[in-house]
């Protein structure tokens, strides 16, 4: 009893249990040395190493959570308890142990289950500290929507292309995985969007203590996204003219102003949304998802309906209609439309180029960059594209072209002006750029493909994400191609 209390009111430590405390003390001592003696480059390198270590420990924590869930399942099976939910209690125990709220704890356990049962390549990368917990959850949560066979299929693709998530933040990672999973859940997703449209509403709540009125609304994706982008773009334009209000204040004033025009008023608001999809998805019924600017990936059938102006009845999915092809349903499915292909090269997944000889990016070129990049190009930043800037500065000879342009959020566009920060383009076909943020490290940022969830890889990239470093090592080591036998 006294021995148990000596270890903090817990069970006595077994003789063969590792002494984690001594390892932790040694790590703290090593880090303390860098606190006192580390330079700028050394501190940045150690911060990155610590982040990798934390991620590796998160992998181990996920493994322990998965093991705890299996133990709870085994106990319930042996006792014949909780027949309707044999893992009941596991999520709560894990949440308390992690000092987290109970909300979302079952989703966390589901994400712990996937790496150890369906995705060994992703699990191996997580164990090496290549993904933070936020990144791995953004990757695994969409995979819950598909069958284990599809998860294993995606994991095999990742195993062949281990750099496909390089420098991506959680939001971009989630979009990338969603563009894969939505093909196999397109009917369910399409029906969910239609049901959401039927549940649209606007609600007002008066708060007399705060002296304001709260507005809450649920809008269809096209109307809601269009309104969001219109308010954002107009607030940016007004703010650039020197308006003293904040952007959020400007958006609130614009929204209130819009509300006072009735349906007979002639005020016209021009809303333009970019919808990128393949010709195969548009004309031949392919399930490749489309990307709606400002929203994200949507099922191909939803995109076809937006273009054609026809909707499948809310109570039927596309697959359900195919199972019963009545003349009425055939008429609803077949949509004739005339479009002009503006952005994508036929048969490919990349966006074609646009150039300008001016120093300032024209509006159409800015729009093109925003559609191409979708998010801020600074590594791991998921911010909205608010500004367009030269990768290689115009003063250094950089041209006003798509190849030398990058979309940035306002904060990151200012950060890149710091001393020692350097950027240059690497691969023009997919617009990759190398970013050196004033330290010894460099990062690669690649624009997402216009369609699909990954770029077509080079052969050497299919096998090794660190192919360039490995190539240099092979060229310089004693048994490399530059040596001769004695």
């Amino acid at each position: 009893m006294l021995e148990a209390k000596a270890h903090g009111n817990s069970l006595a430590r077994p003789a063969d249990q590792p002494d984690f405390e001594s390892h932790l003390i040694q790590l703290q001592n090593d880090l303390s040395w860098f606190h006192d003696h580390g330079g700028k480059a050394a501190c940045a390198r150690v911060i990155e190493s610590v982040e990798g270590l934390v991620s590796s420990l998160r992998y181990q924590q996920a493994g322990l959570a998965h093991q705890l869930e299996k133990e709870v399942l085994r106990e319930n099976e042996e006792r014949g308890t909780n027949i309707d939910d044999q893992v009941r209690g596991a999520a709560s125990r894990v949440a308390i142990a992690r000092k987290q709220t109970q909300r979302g704890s079952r989703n966390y356990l589901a994400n712990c289950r996937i790496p150890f049962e369906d995705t060994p390549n992703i699990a191996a990368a997580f164990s090496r500290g290549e993904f933070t917990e936020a990144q791995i959850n953004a990757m695994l949560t969409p995979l819950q929507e598909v069958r284990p066979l599809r998860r294993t299929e995606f994991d095999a693709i990742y195993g062949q292309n281990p750099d496909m998530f390089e420098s991506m933040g959680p939001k971009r990672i989630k979009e990338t995985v969603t563009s894969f999973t939505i093909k196999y859940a397109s009917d369910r997703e399409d029906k969910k969007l239609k049901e959401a449209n039927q549940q649209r509403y606007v609600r007002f709540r008066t708060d007399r203590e705060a002296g304001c009125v709260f507005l809450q609304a649920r809008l269809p994706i096209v109307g809601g996204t269009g309104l969001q982008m219109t308010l954002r773009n107009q607030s940016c334009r007004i703010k650039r003219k020197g308006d003293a209000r904040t952007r959020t204040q400007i958006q609130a004033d614009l929204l209130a102003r819009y509300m006072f025009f009735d349906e007979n008023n002639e005020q016209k608001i021009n809303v333009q949304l970019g919808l990128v999809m393949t010709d195969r998805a548009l004309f031949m019924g392919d399930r490749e998802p489309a990307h709606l600017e400002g929203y994200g990936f949507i099922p191909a059938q939803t995109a076809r309906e937006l273009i054609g102006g026809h909707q499948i009845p809310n109570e039927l999915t596309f697959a359900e209609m195919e199972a019963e092809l009545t003349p009425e349903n055939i008429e609803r499915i077949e949509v004739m439309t005339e479009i002009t292909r503006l952005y994508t090269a036929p048969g490919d997944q990349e966006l074609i180029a646009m150039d300008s000889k001016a120093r300032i990016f024209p509006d159409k070129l800015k729009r093109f960059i925003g559609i191409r990049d979708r998010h801020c190009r600074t590594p791991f930043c998921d911010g909205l594209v608010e500004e367009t800037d030269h990768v290689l500065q115009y003063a250094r000879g950089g041209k006003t072209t798509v190849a030398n342009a990058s979309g940035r959020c306002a904060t990151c566009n200012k950060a890149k002006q710091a001393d020692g920060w350097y950027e240059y383009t690497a691969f023009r076909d997919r617009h990759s750029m190398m970013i050196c943020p004033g330290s010894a490290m460099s990062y690669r940022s690649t624009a997402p493909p216009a369609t699909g969830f990954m770029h077509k890889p080079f052969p050497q990239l299919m096998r090794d994400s660190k192919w360039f470093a490995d190539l240099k090592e092979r060229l310089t080591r004693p048994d490399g191609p530059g040596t001769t036998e004695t």
Side-chain angles (χ1 to χ4, degrees):
M1 184 70 176
L2 293 176
E3 187 178 1
K5 287 186 176 182
H7 291 87
N9 293 329
S10 61
L11 296 177
R13 177 186 293 129
D16 59 347
Q17 182 175 332
D19 187 0
F20 293 108
E21 186 175 350
S22 62
H23 294 295
L24 180 60
I25 293 174
Q26 182 61 47
L27 176 61
Q28 291 174 338
N29 292 336
D30 293 340
L31 293 177
S32 296
W33 186 92
F34 286 99
H35 293 171
D36 300 329
H37 305 92
K40 181 174 66 175
C43 287
R45 186 176 65 253
V46 173
I47 288 172
E48 189 176 50
S49 299
V50 169
E51 189 63 35
L53 177 61
V54 171
S55 299
S56 296
L57 293 176
R58 289 295 186 190
Y59 165 80
Q60 299 295 341
Q61 189 180 58
L64 293 171
H66 181 52
Q67 179 62 27
L68 186 150
E69 182 186 42
K70 291 194 296 184
E71 288 297 316
V72 171
L73 175 63
R74 181 183 58 80
E75 289 179 0
N76 285 328
E77 286 180 341
E78 291 178 350
R79 297 174 181 175
T81 56
N82 295 329
I83 303 299
D84 58 330
D85 184 8
Q86 293 189 317
V87 295
R88 181 180 298 171
S92 299
R93 296 181 189 181
V94 171
I96 292 173
R98 298 181 73 227
K99 300 180 180 179
Q100 301 283 338
T101 177
Q102 301 291 326
R103 181 179 300 174
S105 57
R106 280 185 173 264
N107 183 72
Y108 172 76
L109 272 187
N111 283 344
C112 292
R113 201 178 304 132
I114 293 174
F116 296 96
E117 295 182 1
D118 305 320
T119 58
N121 292 313
I122 293 176
F126 189 23
S127 70
R128 294 191 296 267
E130 296 182 13
F131 299 113
T132 65
E133 185 176 45
Q135 289 174 316
I136 203 71
N137 284 333
M139 190 184 309
L140 299 177
T141 299
L143 290 175
Q144 294 182 27
E145 301 297 324
V146 295
R147 294 178 298 170
L149 178 64
R150 299 304 181 188
R151 299 172 197 158
T152 304
E153 178 184 341
F154 182 82
D155 183 69
I157 295 173
Y158 171 76
Q160 295 178 338
N161 306 273
D163 64 335
M164 63 185 295
F165 297 116
E166 185 176 10
S167 300
M168 289 188 185
K171 190 171 182 178
R172 274 196 64 189
I173 290 176
K174 186 174 182 179
E175 284 188 356
T176 301
V177 181
T178 300
S179 66
F180 170 83
T181 60
I182 202 171
K183 291 190 299 183
Y184 305 105
S186 59
D187 287 344
R188 185 169 64 251
E189 185 69 18
D190 181 65
K191 191 171 183 178
K192 182 178 71 174
L193 291 175
K194 289 187 176 65
E195 291 173 349
N197 290 347
Q198 295 295 324
Q199 297 170 2
R200 59 189 180 275
Y201 63 83
V202 175
R203 294 173 184 162
F204 294 89
R205 180 172 63 85
T206 301
D207 190 332
R208 298 189 180 278
E209 294 183 2
C212 62
V213 175
F214 287 92
L215 170 65
Q216 183 183 26
R218 179 172 183 164
L219 304 176
I221 58 172
V222 175
T225 304
L227 177 62
Q228 179 187 23
M229 295 193 65
T230 299
L231 292 175
R232 190 179 77 205
N233 294 337
Q234 292 197 20
S235 64
C236 288
R237 178 178 55 80
I238 295 173
K239 188 65 179 178
R240 282 196 295 266
K241 293 181 179 180
D243 197 293
R245 294 172 294 175
T246 64
R247 282 185 52 195
T248 53
Q249 289 173 338
I250 295 173
Q251 291 181 19
D253 294 342
L254 288 173
L255 181 60
R257 189 177 119 199
Y258 294 157
M259 290 179 180
F260 288 103
F261 289 94
D262 59 35
E263 60 182 7
N264 297 321
N265 199 296
E266 292 298 323
Q267 186 195 35
K268 295 182 179 179
I269 301 175
N270 185 20
V271 178
Q272 296 182 355
L273 292 178
L275 180 66
V276 182
M277 65 187 305
T278 65
D279 48 2
R280 300 179 301 277
L282 179 59
F283 296 115
M284 301 191 300
D286 191 86
R287 289 177 177 261
E288 185 73 34
H291 188 273
L292 181 63
E293 182 185 10
Y295 178 80
F297 288 98
I298 60 176
Q301 181 59 27
T302 302
R304 287 191 285 265
E305 292 175 359
L306 292 177
I307 293 174
H310 295 264
Q311 279 197 355
I312 295 175
N314 185 55
E315 67 274 7
L316 295 177
T317 66
F318 193 56
E320 290 168 345
M321 293 183 69
E322 286 180 327
E324 187 178 355
L325 288 177
T326 64
E328 181 184 6
N329 287 344
I330 292 176
E331 184 178 352
R332 289 172 179 163
I333 293 173
E334 293 179 351
V335 176
M336 299 299 296
T337 183
E338 182 179 348
I339 68 163
T340 301
R341 190 183 187 94
L342 295 176
Y343 297 114
T344 56
D348 203 356
Q349 61 178 183
E350 308 300 340
L351 295 178
I352 60 177
M354 294 175 64
D355 295 336
S356 172
K357 295 182 179 179
R359 184 184 188 278
I360 304 299
F361 286 91
D363 289 340
K364 289 184 178 180
L365 189 54
K366 288 181 180 179
R367 180 78 188 282
F368 182 90
I369 299 302
I371 293 176
R372 183 197 67 185
D373 290 349
R374 299 177 187 166
H375 296 285
C376 176
R377 290 295 298 279
T378 300
F380 311 111
C381 179
D382 287 330
L384 297 172
V385 175
E386 299 174 310
E387 301 177 6
T388 304
D389 199 12
H390 297 81
V391 178
L392 179 63
Q393 287 88 339
Y394 187 84
R396 295 183 180 179
K399 298 180 179 179
T400 307
T401 64
V402 167
N404 192 47
S406 64
R408 296 293 176 90
C409 67
T411 302
C412 290
N413 199 30
K414 294 180 177 66
K416 63 173 289 190
Q417 305 301 325
D419 292 338
W421 191 297
Y422 186 74
E423 300 178 353
Y424 59 93
T425 55
F427 302 107
R428 294 187 60 177
D429 62 335
R430 63 193 59 186
H431 199 268
S432 289
M433 50 190 289
M434 299 302 296
I435 299 176
C436 308
S439 62
M441 288 87 70
S442 61
Y443 304 87
R444 187 174 67 175
S445 173
T446 303
T451 60
F453 58 92
M454 59 172 292
H455 293 278
K456 296 177 181 177
F458 292 113
Q460 63 268 35
L461 295 182
M462 294 179 65
R463 294 185 297 271
D464 190 356
S465 61
K466 307 298 181 183
W467 64 274
F468 187 70
D470 184 60
L471 175 62
K472 289 199 301 184
E473 179 185 356
R474 285 181 293 182
L475 290 174
T476 56
R477 64 191 182 195
D479 59 342
T483 60
T484 57
E485 294 182 0
T486 57

